[in-house]
Amino acid sequence: MKTRIFRLLAVAALTAGCSLAAVADEPMKVGFVYVGPVGDHGWSYEHDRARKELEKALPGQVKTTFVENVSEGADAERVITQLAKSGNKIIFTTSFGFMNPTLKVAKKFPNVVFEHATGYKRTANVGTYIQRAYEGRYVAGVAAGLLTKSNTIGYIASFPIPEVYRDIDATFLGAKSVNPNVKIKIVWVNSWYDPGKETDAANALIDQGVDVLMQHTDSPAPMMVAEKRGIRAVGQASDVASYGPKAHIFSIQDNWEPHYLKTVEAVKNGTWKPQDYWGGFADDVVRLASINDNLPKNVKDAINTTYTKIKTGEFKPFTGPIKDNTGKEVVPAGHSLTDAELAQINWFVEGIDSNIAK
C-alpha cells in the first residue's frame, strides 16, 4: 500500500513538474497598439515591421498581437485593457494620444509592463520611448536649405505638441545653417494620418511658393503631390522613395527593432525598469533611407557629413546660443539641451513666422 501511495505521489509530482516546465516554456505574449493602418509605409508600418523582426529574433520565445487603426481616447483604453486581460506581459502603445489611456489601464494591471511611444508620463510599470527624429529633421533642413530656389520651404504639421515644435525647429535650424535667407511656412492639419488633408496642405504650401516640402504626418500624399508638381520633398517615418522617384530627397526612417528587442529581453530576465528611452542615429533607431542619386553632389555631401557629425556626437542640433522667435534666449551659448529639456520645447526658433498654440 505504501509503495502504491509513493508511486502515485511520484507521478503527481512529475506531472506537476512537467506542467510548470511547460508553463515556463510558453512564449511571452507581447501586444502592440497602432494609431493608423499597418499598410506598406509610415509610422504604424515601421512599428509593425519591428514587431515582425522581434518574432524572428526570438523564435518561440514571444507571441505578438497587434491592433491597428485605434482612435486616441476611449477606444484606446478599451483595446489596451483587452490586451492586458488576454495575458500580454508587455504592451507597446505607439501614439502620443495613447498616453493617458495607457496610464489608466496600467494602474489596473500592475503586473503588466507598458511602454508608451512619444509620451512623458511614467509609473512603476509604464516606461516611455521616442526616436530622435529631430536629428533627421536637421539633416532634412540642411538639404532643403541648399535645394530651395524660392528660399521658401514648407512643413505639414500634425498636432501642436513639443515633439512637433521640436522637429520644426530642427528643420529650420538646419536650413538656416546653410541658407541665411530661407523661410519656412507651416500648415497644421490636426491629424497624424489623413491623405486628403495632407494633399490639400501640400498644394496650399506649393501655391505659396514652397519648393521643398516636409511633413510630420503619416501618408505618402505630400510626396506624391511634390512629384506631380515638380518640387522636392523628404519622406516621413518610412522609405517612401517609390512615391516620388524625382521629388524624393531621402526619407527619415524609424527603426524600432533595437528598442523592442532590448525591452522584451529585459522583461524576460527581470531587469526591466521604467525609463525614458531616446534612440537616434547613434543606435540606428533613426535612419536616412534612399538618398536620391539625382541630388547635386554638394547636397549629398552635406547630407552625409551632417549625418555623421550628429551620429558621432560631434554636433548636437539644439546647442546654444539659440533664441526663440520673440528674441528671448532659450538655449544659452555652449549648452546642449538635455532630453528632459528637449521634451518640453514649446517655442519656435528665431526666424519662424508663426505662433505657438495657446
Side-chain angles (χ1 to χ4, degrees):
M1 186 65 179
K2 286 182 179 180
T3 300
R4 183 183 177 195
I5 291 174
F6 175 78
R7 286 176 178 170
L8 288 172
L9 289 173
V11 169
L14 182 60
T15 302
C18 288
S19 297
L20 289 173
V23 169
D25 290 340
E26 287 184 358
M28 176 181 285
K29 298 180 74 172
V30 184
F32 292 81
V33 186
Y34 306 143
V35 71
V38 170
D40 57 3
H41 60 267
W43 174 263
S44 295
Y45 166 79
E46 290 297 336
H47 284 284
D48 199 58
R49 185 176 61 81
R51 176 189 66 81
K52 294 174 182 174
E53 293 299 321
L54 173 68
E55 287 198 333
K56 290 180 185 175
L58 299 174
Q61 299 179 56
V62 294
K63 181 180 180 181
T64 67
T65 303
F66 71 89
V67 184
E68 60 184 331
N69 284 322
V70 178
S71 300
E72 296 174 332
D75 193 39
E77 184 176 342
R78 177 187 61 79
V79 170
I80 300 167
T81 299
Q82 189 57 47
L83 287 173
K85 285 182 175 179
S86 300
N88 288 284
K89 297 301 180 186
I90 315 171
I91 298 174
F92 293 96
T93 57
T94 64
S95 188
F96 181 81
F98 295 159
M99 181 165 62
N100 289 330
T102 299
L103 290 164
K104 283 184 180 178
V105 180
K107 193 174 181 179
K108 299 175 185 174
F109 296 89
N111 295 322
V112 177
V113 168
F114 296 83
E115 284 261 329
H116 176 235
T118 75
Y120 56 86
K121 295 180 180 177
R122 289 171 292 283
T123 68
N125 63 329
V126 178
T128 51
Y129 63 106
I130 192 169
Q131 87 285 39
R132 297 185 189 276
Y134 68 88
E135 295 181 343
R137 304 287 187 199
Y138 188 93
V139 181
V142 169
L146 291 171
L147 287 166
T148 179
K149 293 181 173 61
S150 65
N151 283 331
T152 309
I153 62 177
Y155 201 102
I156 300 171
S158 48
F159 293 100
I161 58 176
E163 170 192 344
V164 181
Y165 292 143
R166 181 172 64 241
D167 283 13
I168 294 172
D169 284 341
T171 300
F172 193 63
L173 287 170
K176 288 283 283 187
S177 72
V178 296
N179 183 346
N181 298 317
V182 74
K183 296 179 181 178
I184 187 168
K185 291 185 179 296
I186 305 165
V187 171
W188 296 91
V189 295
N190 292 310
S191 174
W192 294 115
Y193 179 84
D194 189 325
K197 284 185 177 180
E198 295 170 59
T199 296
D200 291 344
N203 280 314
L205 286 166
I206 297 170
D207 290 343
Q208 296 175 54
V210 164
D211 61 356
V212 183
L213 199 56
M214 278 148 287
Q215 64 182 97
H216 207 123
T217 51
D218 204 21
S219 90
M223 180 63 69
M224 297 166 71
V225 173
E227 181 77 5
K228 182 179 179 181
R229 298 195 59 178
I231 70 163
R232 307 302 298 242
V234 176
Q236 155 79 359
S238 61
D239 187 348
V240 294
S242 62
Y243 292 93
K246 296 179 181 176
H248 186 255
I249 300 173
F250 61 78
S251 291
I252 304 168
Q253 183 183 24
D254 305 330
N255 176 34
W256 299 106
E257 182 190 348
H259 179 63
Y260 288 157
L261 180 57
K262 182 177 63 177
T263 301
V264 169
E265 288 181 331
V267 173
K268 285 174 67 69
N269 64 30
T271 60
W272 181 90
K273 293 180 181 179
Q275 60 179 344
D276 186 26
Y277 171 74
W278 290 62
F281 286 162
D283 38 13
D284 199 33
V285 172
V286 178
R287 296 169 170 171
L288 302 186
S290 299
I291 298 173
N292 204 324
D293 285 339
N294 70 7
L295 295 172
K297 183 178 183 305
N298 70 311
V299 177
K300 284 190 282 191
D301 289 346
I303 289 170
N304 289 319
T305 299
T306 307
Y307 167 79
T308 300
K309 285 183 177 179
I310 294 174
K311 181 177 181 177
T312 60
E314 179 184 343
F315 173 71
K316 295 184 178 181
F318 285 98
T319 299
I322 298 175
K323 291 181 180 178
D324 68 13
N325 64 357
T326 70
K328 176 186 174 184
E329 183 181 79
V330 287
V331 186
H335 176 67
S336 298
L337 291 185
T338 64
D339 291 348
E341 292 168 334
L342 287 167
Q344 297 177 43
I345 287 180
N346 63 347
W347 35 262
F348 282 129
V349 295
E350 188 175 35
I352 295 182
D353 185 18
S354 189
N355 297 318
I356 295 295
K358 300 295 183 184

